[in-house]
Amino acid sequence: MSKKQSRTHTSKKQTQDDSLKLGDLINGDIMSKLRQTQKELTEAAQVQKEAEEARKREERKRREKNKSFEELLEESNLDWKNYK
């Protein structure tokens, strides 16, 4: 039984040594292109996020501008009972 166990340990050790990392398999040019693409995608996501925030601010301003007197009065935090 000890012979079987020693065989399995050596085979696991060999597979770990034989495994290569992705960075070892990919050429330097391809890695630089991937990094550039990643940078462009993060920049595009940032621009999209900023555009969404600007759109929300404009929507908020538009809603504030179009509020009726009743809505403004309901949002007021003044307690009119204090002034009686």
Side-chain angles (χ1 to χ4, degrees):
M1 233 192 219
S2 64
K3 290 181 182 179
K4 287 184 179 180
Q5 289 178 352
S6 64
R7 287 182 189 167
T8 57
H9 290 295
T10 56
S11 65
K12 288 181 183 178
K13 190 175 183 181
Q14 288 175 348
T15 57
Q16 289 175 352
D17 293 339
D18 293 340
S19 65
L20 296 174
K21 294 182 181 180
L22 183 60
D24 297 337
L25 298 173
I26 296 178
N27 191 357
D29 291 336
I30 296 173
M31 286 295 287
S32 64
K33 287 179 184 178
L34 287 172
R35 286 189 180 118
Q36 181 66 25
T37 304
Q38 181 184 15
K39 184 179 177 182
E40 290 172 359
L41 288 174
T42 54
E43 289 174 356
Q46 181 68 24
V47 168
Q48 185 179 10
K49 182 179 177 183
E50 291 173 358
E52 182 67 22
E53 289 174 0
R55 186 191 63 78
K56 286 181 181 180
R57 273 183 274 156
E58 290 297 322
E59 179 69 21
R60 199 175 315 122
K61 284 181 184 179
R62 187 185 60 76
R63 271 190 271 127
E64 187 72 30
K65 183 180 174 184
N66 293 331
K67 283 188 179 181
S68 68
F69 181 75
E70 181 183 359
E71 292 170 328
L72 292 171
L73 189 59
E74 287 176 4
E75 290 178 1
S76 173
N77 59 359
L78 295 176
D79 186 13
W80 298 103
K81 294 177 184 176
N82 294 337
Y83 299 104
K84 285 186 176 180

